Amino acid sequence: MAHAHAHAVKRRTGIMDWLTTVDHKKIGIMYLLAGGFFFLIGGLEAILIRLQLMFPQSEVVSAQFYNELITMHGTTMIFLAAMPILFGFMNAIIPLQIGARDVAYPFVNALGFWTFFFGGVLLNISFIAGSVPDAGWTMYAPLSGTTYTEHFGTDYYVIGLQISGIGTLIGGINFLVTIINMRAPGMTFMRMPMFTWATFITSALILFAFPALTVGLAALMFDRLFSGNFFDPSAGGNVVLWEHIFWIFGHPEVYILILPAFGIISEVVSTFSRKRLFGYSSMVFATILIGFLGFMVWAHHMFTTGLGPIANALFSVATMLIAVPTGIKIFNWLFTMWGGSIKFTVANLFAVGFIPTFVMGGVTGVMLSVAPADYQYHDTYFVVAHFHYVIVGGLVLGIFAGLHYWWPKMFGRVLSEKLGYWTFWTFYIGFHLTFFVQHFLGLLGMPRRIWQYLDGMGFNTLNFISTIGALLMGVGTILFIINILITMRKPKTAENDPWKDGRTLEWTISSPAPEYNFAQTPLVRGYDAWWLEKMEGNSKMTPVEPIGPIHMPSPSILPFFMGLGLFIAGFGFMYAREFGVVSLVIGIAGLVITFGCMGLRSWIDDHGFHIEEEEILKDQGVKA
Amino acid sequence: MSSHSHVEGQLPHEPERATLEGRNKITGFWLFLGGETVLFGTLFAAYLTLRGQVMDGPTPNELFDFALVALATALLLTSSLTSVFALQAMHKHNVKGLMGWLIVTLLLGAAFLGLEIYEFNHYVHLGHTFAASAFSTSFYTLVGFHGAHVAFGLLWVILILLQLKKRGLNTTTAPKVYVFGMYWHFIDVVWVFIFTVVYLMGKVG
């Protein structure tokens, strides 16, 4: 496939390098940075929420601002923090785990990042513009319609998420194709690391769940911008339709978030137990089953909507079923640790801490799946406690495990273990302090989404404890940031396999990985390919090709401008009902930028460039 | 082998699958169409939920004109056939035939789109505006999303035709033609469902 005509090596430096890069490792870092930034914003919103609820009838924030905070906290954490950070891991690690030199579509990969980024920025500019989404992260109609939300808050939500959703969808397709087509020789499906499997299933969920959200957001947008009637009962619209569309997307979304965390936990637990993952094939099967069942249970968010006993019963049973594959996973992790020689590194502490925490979230999930009981729990703090146990206690602990585990591979430096222990204990204790008591607040009858509660209801002490816990989580996060800053000042000295117990292909190459990942594509001879070689006394993988020139995609600024175009278009259309034609013209100009760049991308015949043999040999020499 | 090559003898029978990039494109596009299926599925679900809510506006039965829709359907289905002829020409490395059939596809698609614009304009004059009722909103959204897909496909095929003219058939342009063909068939299949669910059921149901 080599191209006879040589292209000059295209490399940019400084800020232009980051704006134009199509390298999955750099895009992974950008996802991590942007996701981390939004995580801090969402975290700050959470702290403000908790400060408001620290004492009865307090007025730390106004009622309106409180509504904005809960809406933006949920939206930001799910769409702009959690998913991008997971995409960061997928980008940084998946091609390395399957022995590939890049993802299937490097250009689309960059495009996915920039659309996510501009969508997220647009959503958060609402704070500066002064009309913030305030109808809850679920944006239930008719509250989100123009009748009850006249200001532009919902528009920011609808358009911001629509734009960032495009990024997620194309990212999902990219990883599906990468995993299907780009695996190294010998890397059969049943030899893929669990994180790769989790990413594969997650990407499939993204592919089939996000288009439903696209339609829901478009419908809400049409209702608001063009006086449509999807969710307006006075013109025949149906508000329950929004609930269905939102949750047909929204429930798979929960598994989009948690499955990659399951993958990370599997890698970390297995590595630091120094044992093969127990029940690998049942893990794969359970992941697929969870993904499949994830589409069958959306109406359990709507038990109190009034769908009737038959629908409720069916969705109730389907929901309970998910506990089975999830239980399989829990026991597999426990049996992996059983008899292993466990090393409690920070990454492993987070992973091991994850297991009981997630079980608690799972158990309350089964409690909530009982439809009659749900009538009691619904819209109380019990639900808040449940989903924070699975999302923070599951996903965020998984993310922290992954961050400590893969940091050396991404940045060439090992994070300080000592500070890491502090991060773990403050965050872990803070987490349980915050959310454990919320179960009881819910059972005592404290409704969610309320700005104030009265004194003398028995809520005071538990709310106070909860707020202290939230502050402690904040301390944990700050310690982690300090850890990053300290580590970044150290030289890049991480070895290829800094944990010594690495099992998968990413640990066979230098930290951070060279631009082309693998100088020679490795031959995979079994599950845990690198561990297998080590056990046979080999110090490196068997290559399947001689060292030769490596083909690389060219960097491009077009993805940046395509994202920017959508950003401009979003603003133009949003403000058309206030500024009229001028705004509309700006909107159309934005679309012209985006589609113009798309046309340019198709028209420009760019075949990339080659990294020559000498350069690869030079890299090898330094490392050997 | 240079990917700029368009010497006929050097191209494989299926030039769209000759490179990894080409194969990736095809795999990815199949998956993309899976996502598109969910997109249209959701639009159909919304339409089916709301189609009875006509308020004071005309009912589907009063509105739809079979002759017009039948003609549009015939045009679009035929364009799917001509896109297959284009692909067959491509596999014979017959660039002239390929471009010719793509142009026929383009013209048929444009005619379909013209009819749809005429149809929408006609409905608006009958009081069936976007904001008239939940039925009208969901109708225009569903059929309009399809129409937007057709319009995008037309721009796309023009771009491909220009590239074929400038660079000929090679391992870069071939996957584009192939993937466009997949897209065009998908649009056609969606239309078959729209014809059934919107127009036939509107007339009968």
Side-chain angles (χ1 to χ4, degrees):
Chain A
M1 198 188 59
H3 302 299
H5 45 283
H7 290 279
V9 177
K10 291 176 190 165
R11 277 173 181 157
R12 297 200 170 89
T13 49
I15 184 84
M16 276 312 281
D17 178 30
W18 291 95
L19 292 181
T20 61
T21 188
V22 292
D23 180 346
H24 69 95
K25 297 175 289 295
K26 285 183 179 150
I27 292 172
I29 291 173
M30 291 200 292
Y31 264 117
L32 211 60
L33 276 177
F37 171 71
F38 287 121
F39 180 81
L40 293 182
I41 292 182
L44 203 63
E45 286 156 0
I47 298 266
L48 284 174
I49 293 170
R50 278 321 313 170
L51 286 178
Q52 164 63 22
L53 295 175
M54 196 169 180
F55 300 107
Q57 287 194 286
S58 67
E59 299 218 19
V60 175
V61 296
S62 69
Q64 169 61 27
F65 188 46
Y66 184 82
N67 285 346
E68 296 168 5
L69 284 175
I70 57 166
T71 304
M72 289 300 282
H73 167 70
T75 311
T76 303
M77 282 304 198
I78 287 175
F79 293 98
L80 307 180
M83 289 219 300
I85 292 175
L86 291 175
F87 263 110
F89 283 133
M90 295 179 192
N91 265 295
I93 301 302
I94 292 299
L96 306 185
Q97 280 200 333
I98 62 173
R101 293 216 166 98
D102 209 325
V103 290
Y105 316 115
F107 180 93
V108 172
N109 203 13
L111 178 62
F113 170 78
W114 287 113
T115 47
F116 139 69
F117 180 75
F118 279 112
V121 170
L122 187 129
L123 190 57
N124 275 283
I125 280 182
S126 63
F127 278 113
I128 300 166
S131 36
V132 190
D134 59 357
W137 87 279
T138 52
M139 276 303 145
Y140 271 15
L143 182 60
S144 55
T146 38
T147 317
Y148 299 98
T149 311
E150 247 185 279
H151 62 81
F152 291 97
T154 309
D155 302 315
Y156 274 104
Y157 172 95
V158 163
I159 293 173
L161 285 192
Q162 190 71 281
I163 294 174
S164 77
I166 296 169
T168 310
L169 181 66
I170 58 183
I173 294 177
N174 199 354
F175 283 108
L176 282 169
V177 180
T178 303
I179 294 171
I180 293 171
N181 281 357
M182 313 272 285
R183 284 166 289 125
M187 178 63 82
T188 58
F189 269 94
M190 288 312 276
R191 285 176 182 175
M192 291 194 320
M194 258 335 276
F195 181 63
T196 303
W197 258 111
T199 300
F200 187 61
I201 302 300
T202 297
S203 302
L205 294 187
I206 289 174
L207 175 63
F208 293 115
F210 263 74
L213 179 71
T214 305
V215 170
L217 293 174
L220 189 53
M221 181 176 88
F222 288 171
D223 271 17
R224 293 184 58 89
L225 301 189
F226 312 126
S227 314
N229 305 309
F230 278 107
F231 311 119
D232 178 7
S234 68
N238 189 331
V239 293
V240 179
L241 181 65
W242 168 264
E243 293 187 27
H244 278 294
I245 293 177
F246 186 84
W247 287 117
I248 281 177
F249 146 77
H251 198 81
E253 169 67 20
V254 176
Y255 296 106
I256 291 169
L257 294 175
I258 200 63
L259 288 180
F262 285 173
I264 295 169
I265 300 298
S266 303
E267 303 283 327
V268 172
V269 164
S270 166
T271 300
F272 294 113
S273 302
R274 287 179 265 191
K275 262 182 71 189
R276 188 186 203 271
L277 185 68
F278 186 91
Y280 169 76
S281 43
S282 72
M283 277 304 218
V284 171
F285 176 70
T287 309
I288 297 171
L289 201 59
I290 291 173
F292 177 75
L293 288 174
F295 279 96
M296 308 288 150
V297 296
W298 78 89
H300 70 211
H301 297 268
M302 301 162 60
F303 280 151
T304 60
T305 301
L307 301 177
I310 296 192
N312 277 4
L314 284 173
F315 280 101
S316 186
V317 172
T319 307
M320 292 173 195
L321 271 180
I322 295 188
V324 178
T326 314
I328 291 174
K329 283 183 163 290
I330 298 285
F331 282 107
N332 280 340
W333 289 319
L334 294 178
F335 290 140
T336 305
M337 287 162 64
W338 187 271
S341 65
I342 304 172
K343 269 205 279 191
F344 282 103
T345 58
V346 175
N348 200 27
L349 264 185
F350 274 108
V352 173
F354 160 98
I355 297 172
T357 313
F358 192 80
V359 168
M360 290 170 74
V363 167
T364 51
V366 176
M367 288 170 75
L368 285 162
S369 77
V370 183
D374 183 70
Y375 272 73
Q376 290 300 313
Y377 307 135
H378 189 83
D379 261 346
T380 71
Y381 262 82
F382 190 82
V383 177
V384 178
H386 159 70
F387 66 69
H388 282 96
Y389 259 80
V390 285
I391 294 184
V392 184
L395 172 62
V396 177
L397 292 184
I399 285 176
F400 271 121
L403 283 171
H404 286 89
Y405 180 59
W406 279 313
W407 198 269
K409 192 48 67 184
M410 292 178 75
F411 297 97
R413 305 167 175 95
V414 185
L415 284 170
S416 156
E417 286 283 295
K418 201 172 166 189
L419 259 172
Y421 288 121
W422 280 97
T423 309
F424 172 75
W425 286 112
T426 44
F427 194 89
Y428 197 69
I429 293 171
F431 163 76
H432 281 283
L433 221 50
T434 311
F435 295 108
F436 188 68
V437 294
Q438 290 186 2
H439 292 111
F440 300 98
L441 277 173
L443 294 175
L444 287 171
M446 180 169 162
R448 65 189 279 209
R449 290 175 168 163
I450 50 153
W451 169 53
Q452 288 180 330
Y453 54 92
L454 291 173
D455 199 3
M457 308 274 287
F459 301 158
N460 296 11
T461 319
L462 297 178
N463 268 305
F464 184 79
I465 294 172
S466 184
T467 303
I468 298 298
L471 293 173
L472 205 53
M473 287 167 81
V475 171
T477 310
I478 291 169
L479 288 175
F480 181 68
I481 295 170
I482 293 172
N483 197 350
I484 292 175
L485 295 177
I486 291 176
T487 308
M488 277 304 162
R489 298 170 66 88
K490 289 182 188 155
K492 289 189 186 182
T493 51
E495 296 163 39
N496 291 6
D497 187 0
W499 308 112
K500 311 275 188 257
D501 302 312
R503 311 179 74 82
T504 41
L505 288 179
E506 74 264 34
W507 306 112
T508 63
I509 51 176
S510 64
S511 308
E515 199 178 350
Y516 43 82
N517 296 353
F518 296 89
Q520 292 164 287
T521 302
L523 176 69
V524 176
R525 299 197 296 143
Y527 175 67
D528 279 345
W530 174 224
W531 184 260
L532 191 92
E533 299 294 338
K534 283 196 283 192
M535 288 302 106
E536 294 189 2
N538 300 327
S539 60
K540 62 192 214 40
M541 301 295 296
T542 314
V544 293
E545 58 182 3
I547 290 184
I550 294 172
H551 177 247
M552 302 296 291
S554 301
S556 170
I557 193 71
L558 291 176
F560 175 83
F561 278 108
M562 286 173 80
L564 185 67
L566 288 175
F567 179 78
I568 295 170
F571 266 107
F573 290 120
M574 196 182 341
Y575 280 99
R577 68 188 149 98
E578 195 162 302
F579 300 113
V581 181
V582 183
S583 193
L584 217 55
V585 169
I586 293 174
I588 290 167
L591 287 185
V592 169
I593 293 176
T594 300
F595 285 103
C597 288
M598 197 170 167
L600 272 179
R601 161 68 181 167
S602 173
W603 182 253
I604 299 169
D605 215 11
D606 190 332
H607 293 286
F609 63 93
H610 284 90
I611 293 180
E612 296 306 327
E613 214 171 312
E614 302 84 66
E615 191 183 332
I616 299 160
L617 285 171
K618 212 175 84 191
D619 288 356
Q620 297 271 300
V622 171
K623 289 285 162 193
Chain B
M1 182 194 78
S2 162
S3 60
H4 282 303
S5 160
H6 51 270
V7 182
E8 289 187 11
Q10 287 188 0
L11 269 183
H13 170 62
E14 290 187 339
E16 71 273 13
R17 293 180 203 274
T19 62
L20 178 63
E21 284 84 355
R23 290 193 295 277
N24 280 349
K25 214 170 240 182
I26 294 168
T27 313
F29 208 79
W30 274 111
L31 295 167
F32 172 73
L33 292 183
E36 288 269 84
T37 307
V38 178
L39 183 110
F40 278 103
T42 314
L43 287 168
F44 273 109
Y47 177 77
L48 285 170
T49 311
L50 301 173
R51 73 188 179 113
Q53 307 296 326
V54 295
M55 309 310 281
D56 300 329
T59 64
N61 196 11
E62 293 161 6
L63 211 54
F64 298 147
D65 175 15
F66 253 146
L68 191 74
V69 180
L71 180 60
T73 307
L75 287 172
L76 200 64
L77 291 186
T78 313
S79 79
S80 222
L81 179 69
T82 56
S83 77
V84 174
F85 290 155
L87 217 62
Q88 286 181 335
M90 182 175 90
H91 285 160
K92 288 180 191 141
H93 304 156
N94 173 3
V95 183
K96 227 169 153 186
L98 164 62
M99 290 182 65
W101 283 117
L102 283 184
I103 290 170
V104 177
T105 308
L106 170 71
L107 293 176
L108 288 168
F112 169 87
L113 200 63
L115 277 185
E116 187 156 276
I117 291 167
Y118 168 80
E119 182 199 2
F120 280 12
N121 187 41
H122 178 63
Y123 291 160
V124 168
H125 284 113
L126 295 175
H128 183 61
T129 60
F130 185 78
S133 63
F135 159 61
S136 72
T137 305
S138 58
F139 167 83
Y140 282 117
T141 306
L142 170 59
V143 184
F145 255 78
H146 177 266
H149 274 76
V150 174
F152 183 83
L154 297 180
L155 293 177
W156 188 3
V157 77
I158 290 171
L159 199 61
I160 291 176
L161 278 165
L162 290 173
Q163 292 183 30
L164 285 172
K165 187 157 169 49
K166 183 149 186 273
R167 305 191 183 120
L169 182 64
N170 57 44
T171 50
T172 309
T173 47
K176 297 186 185 187
V177 175
Y178 188 85
V179 162
F180 167 77
M182 289 165 64
Y183 178 79
W184 203 250
H185 290 314
F186 175 77
I187 287 178
D188 213 11
V189 171
V190 172
W191 181 258
V192 171
F193 279 91
I194 289 180
F195 181 76
T196 312
V197 171
V198 177
Y199 293 100
L200 274 185
M201 281 168 64
K203 273 296 187 192
V204 181

